[in-house]
Amino acid sequence: MSEMKLHRFDNQFLRDFRSPIAVNTAAIVEQEQVVVAPPPPVFGEADMEHARDAAKKMGYAEGFEAGIAQANTEAVGTARDLAHHIARIEEQLARLLAQYNELVTQQSAEISELVLMIARKVAGDALDANANRAVAELVNRCLPVVYGKPRVMIDLEPNMLVAVQD
């Protein structure tokens, strides 16, 4: 195998066999000498300052409106979440109240029986047949006072307190 060398192509040795082009150098020189003045400014410095101020005010107004729209969106979302949480609290309170009322009813019946048993032991047969009903009514009236009113404490963020307070 013979070794082959690659050489860089150099176009400097190429010949142009066409006829030479006639160039009018006088026209080129004239074009270079003609200097075109820039057009006069359309807007003055005062116009530019006015346009800058108008753009600044417009940008501020757009940003302000976007901020208000975002705040309104967040407020609607917060109100929706707040309403959802209040509804859940209402459901839980309703269940607790039902449980409390059931407990008071159950305790009233048990305490009525206990008081009647104690009264029978103490008084013997002196109690008449309507003693059960009288003791039960007395216990039913007194037991809620003895237990007191149920209390529910709900912790909230300070800024949510105003919205929930009503």
Side-chain angles (χ1 to χ4, degrees):
M1 236 202 243
S2 67
E3 193 173 304
M4 200 163 131
K5 288 189 174 183
L6 295 175
H7 296 286
R8 190 180 87 167
F9 177 74
D10 194 5
N11 64 0
Q12 138 186 64
F13 300 109
L14 292 177
R15 291 187 186 167
D16 188 9
F17 295 103
R18 296 177 291 174
S19 61
I21 298 175
V23 178
N24 185 0
T25 56
I28 294 174
V29 171
E30 281 181 22
Q31 284 179 354
E32 289 177 0
Q33 289 178 353
V34 174
V35 177
V36 178
V42 178
F43 300 106
E45 190 64 33
D47 294 332
M48 293 301 284
E49 188 66 30
H50 178 69
R52 203 175 294 125
D53 289 342
K56 185 177 179 181
K57 288 178 183 176
M58 186 173 66
Y60 177 80
E62 287 176 3
F64 187 77
E65 289 175 9
I68 287 178
Q70 181 180 2
N72 287 339
T73 302
E74 289 175 4
V76 167
T78 302
R80 186 177 347 105
D81 292 344
L82 187 62
H84 173 73
H85 292 302
I86 288 174
R88 287 185 53 206
I89 289 172
E90 284 181 47
E91 291 172 6
Q92 292 173 356
L93 287 176
R95 271 192 311 226
L96 287 173
L97 183 62
Q99 289 174 356
Y100 173 77
N101 290 335
E102 183 180 325
L103 176 72
V104 167
T105 304
Q106 179 186 3
Q107 293 293 322
S108 295
E110 290 175 4
I111 290 177
S112 296
E113 289 177 24
L114 179 66
V115 168
L116 192 58
M117 286 173 50
I118 292 172
R120 283 215 170 108
K121 282 283 187 186
V122 172
D125 292 331
L127 294 175
D128 60 24
N130 291 332
N132 289 345
R133 198 173 80 215
V135 170
E137 287 177 8
L138 179 66
V139 170
N140 284 337
R141 283 187 306 195
C142 294
L143 194 60
V145 174
V146 172
Y147 279 136
K149 293 185 179 181
R151 291 184 176 185
V152 177
M153 294 182 66
I154 301 172
D155 294 327
L156 295 172
E157 289 184 36
N159 53 351
M160 293 291 181
L161 180 64
V162 176
V164 175
Q165 206 164 16
D166 294 336

